[in-house]
Amino acid sequence: MTEILAADADGIARAAALLRGGGLVAFGTETVYGLGADATNAEAAARIFTAKGRPRFNPLICHYPDAEAAFADVSANAMAQRLAAVLWPGPLTLVLPRRTDCPVALLTTAGLDTLAVRVPAQDTALALLRAVGRPVAAPSANHSGLVSPTAAAHVLEELSGRIDAVLDSGPCAVGVESTVLDLCGAQPRLLRPGGATPEAIEALIGPVAHGAASGSIVRSPGMLASHYAPALPVRLRVRDVHPDEALLAFGPPLPEARVAFNMSERGDLTEAAARLFAGLRWLDAEAARLGLARIAVMPVPDTGLGLAINDRLRRAAAPRDR
Ligand code: TXA
Ligand code: MG
């Protein structure tokens, strides 16, 4: 059952409690309705991908009540400070380097070393974010590939029964997603056009390069290449482990591995998704320490979240030129 919560003190308190407990709560922002989860909880983030039916793990935007909270999790440069001072709260998302002590789960950022942060201009959303007291990951609250919802009814049409609650704050004022601006490189880059205009941004920080015209930059191969890939080669769908391999296991581990990380001993795909990126990083470091040559990965079924896990593993195993 999906609860429909009013945008009053009780509704906000209930929504915050659900989020803090690892639940999924859709909430209105000035752009579109977001499907929220505690960004620091990898299993909650995994449930976002299940609910949306995403075929792959895209990095999620994290929402904060103010710039101070956002910039505690990312390193803000001078451009970020200037943009935030004028355009936040508002429909602008900034991609910045994660701080080393950033508590956001690796699955939330799809293993990237960067984090997209945003402070929405919507009073109910801000009150909710203050009440949660943790970053809230929220992609648009629709099935992957369908149009973004700008009213609670749209959210329910698609996601009723698949999420814990929707906080109904009425229709969204802007109606298109936030502008996504990457501030990690030498020049700022527009990754997705949206509610904040290039003119407003350029008036504050000067010329901005334009990313993939398609809008979602991570869909473009160039962006995919910057996803975290292990340093070691990866061998997929193994039935046996060689002596020079570290094992990424799923289900009961193969006995002969020198070092193993099990994504989910009970074979649960949500748990496995939540542990995938942390496991790859840990095995990479352990294998280097032990002088191993490769990471071997046990088969993961191609159903549900297994599709996204296998997509990510295939890219980790693909030939790369570095
Ligand atoms: O208006 C919005 O931004 C809405 C509301 C709910 O805040 N959210 C939203 O999220 O549109 P989503 O997941 O549908 O779109 C997020 C976009 C995607 O194109 C994603 O690839 C990009 O932001 N993105 C997120 N994190 C990124 C990162 N670390 N680097 C590059 N792009 C990132
Ligand atoms: Mg979307």
Side-chain angles (χ1 to χ4, degrees):
M1 254 305 280
T2 299
E3 297 176 35
I4 302 170
L5 304 171
D8 56 19
D10 285 351
I12 290 165
R14 174 74 183 144
L18 286 168
L19 286 171
R20 291 179 63 90
L24 293 185
V25 178
F27 61 98
T29 75
E30 83 281 31
T31 58
V32 300
Y33 272 71
L35 176 53
D38 176 355
T40 68
N41 179 336
E43 290 225 16
R47 277 185 221 115
I48 287 183
F49 294 102
T50 308
K52 279 186 66 94
R54 279 205 173 168
R56 62 167 56 146
F57 300 123
N58 287 331
L60 305 174
I61 295 175
C62 285
H63 297 70
Y64 297 84
D66 51 48
E68 195 190 340
F71 293 163
D73 288 354
V74 291
S75 304
N77 52 24
M79 284 186 184
Q81 301 280 1
R82 215 169 308 147
L83 289 164
V86 177
L87 297 178
W88 276 356
L92 174 66
T93 295
L94 301 177
V95 176
L96 290 161
R98 278 174 78 113
R99 288 185 188 271
T100 44
D101 59 351
C102 175
V104 170
L106 283 176
L107 181 65
T108 303
T109 56
L112 293 173
D113 292 323
T114 59
L115 178 64
V117 295
R118 140 164 162 78
V119 178
Q122 217 281 354
D123 289 343
T124 307
L126 291 174
L128 175 65
L129 294 167
R130 274 191 296 271
V132 174
R134 295 178 198 156
V136 172
S140 49
N142 54 283
H143 274 296
S144 209
L146 300 181
V147 288
S148 296
T150 52
H154 303 168
V155 176
L156 289 168
E157 277 165 28
E158 286 193 37
L159 298 176
S160 185
R162 301 171 70 92
I163 63 177
D164 295 295
V166 56
L167 184 60
D168 185 355
S169 54
C172 301
V174 175
V176 296
E177 280 102 337
S178 62
T179 302
V180 180
L181 187 69
D182 182 358
L183 293 178
C184 296
Q187 211 199 345
R189 181 170 287 274
L190 187 75
L191 300 184
R192 179 178 74 180
T197 64
E199 291 77 11
I201 293 165
E202 291 187 330
L204 292 166
I205 59 167
V208 166
H210 289 242
S214 68
S216 180
I217 192 76
V218 289
R219 293 242 165 93
S220 79
M223 189 68 191
L224 292 176
S226 76
H227 270 64
Y228 175 79
L232 288 179
V234 175
R235 191 165 69 93
L236 295 180
R237 309 191 77 80
V238 303
R239 301 276 170 194
D240 58 343
V241 184
H242 304 163
D244 60 349
E245 289 179 335
L247 177 67
L248 184 63
F250 178 79
L254 302 180
E256 64 268 44
R258 267 183 74 192
V259 54
F261 181 97
N262 204 328
M263 293 185 281
S264 175
E265 224 161 294
R266 57 192 158 94
D268 179 84
L269 288 167
T270 304
E271 183 182 41
R275 290 164 55 79
L276 168 68
F277 291 102
L280 279 174
R281 281 182 192 249
W282 185 80
L283 277 184
D284 217 15
E286 278 301 287
R289 199 174 61 78
L290 297 170
L292 302 180
R294 222 171 295 104
I295 297 174
V297 184
M298 286 171 71
V300 174
D302 254 329
T303 54
L305 274 189
L307 290 167
I309 293 171
N310 284 325
D311 169 72
R312 188 63 195 75
L313 288 171
R314 265 193 304 277
R315 283 189 278 133
R320 26 193 143 99
D321 40 29
R322 65 173 161 105

